[in-house]
Amino acid sequence: VSRPRVFSAMQPTADSLHLGNYLGALRQWVALQEDHDAIYSVVDLHALTVSPDPAVLRHRSRLTAAQYLAAGVDPARSLLFLQSHVAQHTQLAWILSCLTGFGEASRMTQFKDKAARQGSEGASVGLFTYPILMAADILLYDTALVPVGEDQRQHLELARDLAQRLNTRVGREVVTVPEASIVRATAKIYDLAEPTAKMSKSGHASGLIELLDDPKVIAKRIRSAVTDADTVIRFDREAKPGVSNLLTIHSALSGTSVADLEAEFAGKMYGHLKVAVADVVVETLAPLRERVTELMAAPDELDAILADGADRARTIAAGTLARVYDAVGL
Ligand code: ADP
Ligand code: NA
């Protein structure tokens, strides 16, 4: 019996991934390898939508791949590659763009949000068609499951719609329709400085816990995390978002339940909780950071892993694209 195919990816738009990426995505990716046929990509073509400096983009693509590996993505079991190494992504994206309505693409809320930030003249056509490239990423590998956050649900729906449309048009199953469900409930991590907003690279710098940060910086950010004027250490997302976020982070990394943490910290001060959270974060990230340093210092190993991943991805992608070409009359 074949294991269900999983595809997921992140954009190389920062040097370091953050704790939200780790707990909300990467850690699940690693767990999914156990019983899934997993394909993970660094989607560098998507990152072009924010016009990065070329040298910075190239560096970040490799650094992001190194973070996947350091977190436990295992190239012996899973496929890891850079999106731009597999030309079929852009080839399928063109075909899918011809199946997408202009109005349909215009309804993507993430484009509206990002375009509003960049200004309508600043936003590129690439930013507009981004969800179509993402649909190509998913459909090329006959993906069954896509572990992404809630914010990607609309894009995933588009991928499903396009797969169904293509299949209906030709009257047979040309591509697999991915499941829209988010595979596993994952911890949502909030900004340390504004604990009602999700931790994001586009949020406050002081609100981020970056995987590659110096332990001293991490500890300082956690010590400065916004809490509340109360003193009780209790999980209450509404009334105590800062404390609840710290409890979530501790629990997710230590494996201790939030209820047990509440009992452990009964009568203690916020400062105690912050020290404990900083310790568990630093302890988790130290080996990860070390492995990233090693990988970046020995580029041949990383390049070989990415070249091998791209070779294997290309074989699968070429098969899918040949079926699609045939189906649409090319
Ligand atoms: P960012 O918001 O920093 O730009 P991305 O949108 O690139 O992060 O997200 C990459 C992956 O990390 C996605 O699967 C997303 O759901 C997950 N993720 C991002 N931020 C968080 C968070 N604060 N909590 C949990 N998961 C997150
Ligand atoms: Na984002």
Side-chain angles (χ1 to χ4, degrees):
V1 251
S2 65
R3 301 173 303 162
R5 170 74 50 80
V6 157
F7 176 91
S8 202
M10 286 191 259
Q11 291 186 67
T13 41
D15 281 350
S16 181
L17 297 174
H18 57 72
L19 196 68
N21 300 141
Y22 178 73
L23 288 174
L26 256 189
R27 213 171 62 159
Q28 275 61 43
W29 295 8
V30 172
L32 284 164
Q33 298 177 117
E34 301 299 330
D35 42 15
H36 292 76
D37 175 7
I39 302 186
Y40 299 125
S41 183
V42 174
V43 286
D44 49 356
L45 293 169
H46 283 282
L48 283 180
T49 57
V50 295
S51 343
D53 173 84
V56 171
L57 175 60
R58 196 166 292 121
H59 175 66
R60 285 179 172 171
S61 296
R62 304 178 79 261
L63 196 50
T64 302
Q67 289 171 83
Y68 290 5
L69 291 166
V73 167
D74 175 7
R77 286 186 292 171
S78 303
L79 241 151
L80 167 62
F81 70 99
L82 303 189
Q83 183 190 29
S84 63
H85 290 181
V86 181
Q88 285 83 359
H89 287 254
T90 45
Q91 293 177 291
L92 182 58
W94 172 255
I95 293 170
L96 295 177
S97 73
C98 295
L99 287 169
T100 308
F102 185 80
E104 184 178 31
S106 308
R107 285 192 292 275
M108 295 292 132
T109 55
Q110 196 177 77
F111 171 75
K112 291 191 216 165
D113 294 346
K114 288 191 179 174
R117 264 183 266 139
Q118 297 187 7
S120 59
E121 288 303 307
S124 67
V125 174
L127 187 66
F128 182 67
T129 57
Y130 179 114
I132 300 172
L133 181 58
M134 180 172 158
D137 300 338
I138 295 166
L139 301 185
L140 262 185
Y141 300 100
D142 286 314
T143 304
L145 293 167
V146 188
V148 291
E150 194 53 46
D151 53 340
Q152 292 297 323
R153 187 179 285 280
Q154 198 186 25
H155 293 166
L156 205 52
E157 283 298 338
L158 178 70
R160 273 172 64 78
D161 289 346
L162 290 173
Q164 276 159 349
R165 197 170 301 160
L166 179 64
N167 292 343
T168 305
R169 222 167 256 200
V170 239
R172 65 189 144 88
E173 191 180 305
V174 181
V175 289
T176 301
V177 180
E179 242 174 65
S181 71
I182 275 75
V183 283
R184 234 165 264 201
T186 61
K188 182 168 176 187
I189 307 303
Y190 292 82
D191 188 299
L192 296 175
E194 188 193 345
T196 49
K198 79 161 199 157
M199 185 179 285
S200 169
K201 60 181 171 272
S202 34
H204 306 270
S206 61
L208 276 181
I209 297 173
E210 289 173 293
L211 305 191
L212 304 182
D213 248 347
D214 187 279
K216 288 201 191 76
V217 173
I218 293 177
K220 182 163 178 283
R221 291 214 179 138
I222 295 172
R223 270 202 313 278
S224 319
V226 168
T227 49
D228 53 62
D230 188 24
T231 55
V232 186
I233 297 176
R234 178 169 54 80
F235 188 93
D236 182 337
R237 181 69 68 206
E238 293 293 304
K240 304 170 75 69
V243 170
S244 302
N245 190 36
L246 292 172
L247 287 168
T248 302
I249 292 171
H250 192 309
S251 174
L253 293 175
S254 66
T256 310
S257 72
V258 167
D260 284 352
L261 288 173
E262 285 174 335
E264 186 182 328
F265 287 97
K268 295 199 174 139
M269 303 203 289
Y270 288 173
H272 292 117
L273 175 63
K274 288 176 170 181
V275 168
V277 171
D279 285 349
V280 71
V281 170
V282 166
E283 208 176 290
T284 307
L285 297 186
L288 197 149
R289 198 163 150 247
E290 230 170 85
R291 181 70 183 128
V292 169
T293 308
E294 268 173 30
L295 285 161
M296 295 304 283
D300 290 355
E301 183 190 352
L302 182 57
D303 288 338
I305 290 170
L306 293 175
D308 175 62
D311 279 344
R312 289 153 59 209
R314 224 177 274 122
T315 303
I316 303 171
T320 310
L321 192 70
R323 280 186 344 250
V324 174
Y325 266 33
D326 179 62
V328 300
L330 298 173

